């Protein structure tokens, strides 16, 4: 028996919708399925514009262009995040300025952001780790006071909320991922959400290789031409057709994710002994989306032993992230502001448990093996 860390779940209509895209003879971007997916995102998240991209990485790269990040401009972000959060800005010559994360949510520590702001600061990136919201009221206030953009890295956050508002609707811009590990999937995939209305027209141009092709197809201009910087960030309608089958079932998929998360959370309650063993903490203002369950163990040795024990029992538990401030590229292109002690500590102690739809019949086994390994 082998229980993987992730297994993509298909709702059943994915191939039928791809067939329909094929039959409609529209396989490039911005076909009927792309439009359906975008309308669904705009409606359910409440953003001004949703633009599908081929990854969250691509959406972050678009955000860096829209934020007008240039050489030497600084972007404040956590170090405890995926590479793309920083790399998207480095591609434009920007400098990631890393600040530590909070002990409870592992999200950017909002109390450390102001100390990292300089005359070169352009934006703050709020990464909602594991679909649990950052402290957005404080972050938005700070940004407004200092004239900065807020960009939500909501790669893991679709369906989650902060004070009742969907994540992705709270920054000037937000980036979603539909990578096969996420709550809604298309293999690879993503979306840029635009809440700052004044950026919407340019976002469309940036996604279309820097051209005003969108306006041309709507009959607003009589020819299309190169008007700005951009790239090919627009995914094929084949990908959108797959994604639509997931969006149609978003509610039931979310319920199943949350149920898996709740089962884990209940199952480890009696073993919790912070700081030796700690479960995720969800603040009152955050409504999570059941994306991924993790535990924090005592130290690196205990975590590695735990992962090895589970592996012997056929269960694949994994860790992340290598903190960006101590990675080779992070040291070369970015800098830290203040201590990174929480980041350094959690990166050594965090372990992620298998969390995917379809795991249900085997989850009790995973839990039982985890409890066994934790008691050793
Ligand atoms: C926080 C965060 N940002 C960005 C990404 C990149 O997403 P994608 O693989 O869709 O480019 C990920 C991927 O897991 C992520 O977790």
């Amino acid at each position: 028996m082998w229980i993987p860390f992730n297994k993509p779940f298909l709702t059943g209509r994915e191939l039928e919708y791809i067939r329909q895209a094929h039959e409609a003879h529209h396989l490039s971007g911005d076909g009927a399925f792309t439009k359906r997916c975008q309308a669904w995102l705009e409606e359910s998240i409440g953003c001004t514009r949703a633009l599908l991209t081929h990854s969250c990485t691509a959406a972050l790269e678009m955000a860096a262009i829209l934020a007008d990040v240039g050489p030497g401009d600084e972007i404040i972000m956590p170090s405890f995040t995926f590479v793309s959060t920083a790399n998207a800005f480095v591609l434009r010559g920007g400098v990631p300025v890393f600040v530590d994360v909070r002990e409870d949510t592992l999200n950017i520590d909002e109390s450390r952001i102001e100390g990292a702001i300089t005359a070169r600061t352009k934006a703050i990136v709020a990464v909602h780790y594991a679909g649990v919201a950052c402290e957005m009221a404080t972050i938005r206030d700070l940004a407004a006071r200092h004239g900065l953009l807020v960009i939500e890295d909501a790669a893991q956050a679709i369906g989650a909320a902060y004070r009742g508002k969907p994540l992705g609707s709270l920054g000037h811009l937000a980036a979603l991922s539909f990578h096969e590990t996420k709550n809604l999937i298309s293999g690879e995939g993503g979306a840029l959400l635009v809440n700052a209305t004044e950026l919407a027209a340019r976002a469309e141009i940036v996604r279309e290789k820097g051209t005003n092709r969108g306006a041309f197809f709507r009959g607003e201009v009589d020819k299309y031409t190169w008007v700005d910087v951009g790239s090919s960030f627009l995914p094929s309608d084949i990908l959108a057709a797959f994604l639509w089958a997931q969006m149609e079932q978003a509610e039931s998929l979310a319920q199943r994710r949350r149920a898996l998360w709740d089962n884990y959370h209940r199952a480890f309650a009696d073993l919790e002994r912070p700081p030796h063993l700690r479960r995720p903490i969800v603040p009152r203002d955050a409504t999570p989306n059941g994306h991924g369950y993790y535990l924090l163990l005592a130290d690196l040795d205990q975590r590695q032993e735990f992962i090895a024990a589970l592996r012997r029992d056929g269960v694949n538990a994994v860790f992340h992230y290598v903190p960006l401030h101590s990675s080779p590229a992070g040291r070369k292109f970015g800098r830290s502001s203040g201590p990174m002690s929480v980041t350094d500590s959690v990166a050594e102690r965090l372990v992620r448990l298998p969390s995917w739809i379809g795991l249900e019949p085997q989850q009790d086994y995973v839990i039982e093996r985890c409890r066994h390994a934790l008691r050793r």
Side-chain angles (χ1 to χ4, degrees), residues 102 104-108 126-136 153 156-158 160-162 167 261 280-292 294:
R102 288 166 48 143
D104 55 355
T105 55
L106 317 187
N107 283 333
I108 192 165
V127 181
H128 305 297
Y129 181 66
V132 174
C134 294
E135 192 6 61
M136 290 307 289
D153 182 337
Q156 307 174 9
I158 194 156
Y162 171 80
L167 299 189
W261 196 99
I281 294 172
V282 178
R284 243 198 16 230
D285 285 338
T287 311
N289 61 357
H291 176 75
Y294 67 85

Side-chain angles (χ1 to χ4, degrees), residues 251-268:
E251 198 40 55
S252 76
L253 298 179
Q255 277 171 15
R256 290 177 71 176
R257 286 260 180 193
R258 289 199 178 103
L260 289 164
W261 196 99
D262 290 344
N263 285 344
Y264 276 137
H265 209 55
R266 263 194 310 274
F268 301 122

Side-chain angles (χ1 to χ4, degrees), residues 55-57 60 81-82 84-85 127 153 155-156 177 179 182 189 321:
S55 63
C56 179
T57 301
L60 289 166
T81 181
F82 190 71
S84 302
T85 314
V127 181
D153 182 337
Q156 307 174 9
S177 175
H179 180 263
K182 302 303 187 294
Y321 299 104

Side-chain angles (χ1 to χ4, degrees), residues 74-93:
E74 295 178 355
I75 307 90
I76 297 172
M77 63 182 67
S79 163
F80 188 69
T81 181
F82 190 71
V83 183
S84 302
T85 314
N87 190 69
F89 297 93
V90 170
L91 279 172
R92 322 258 16 118

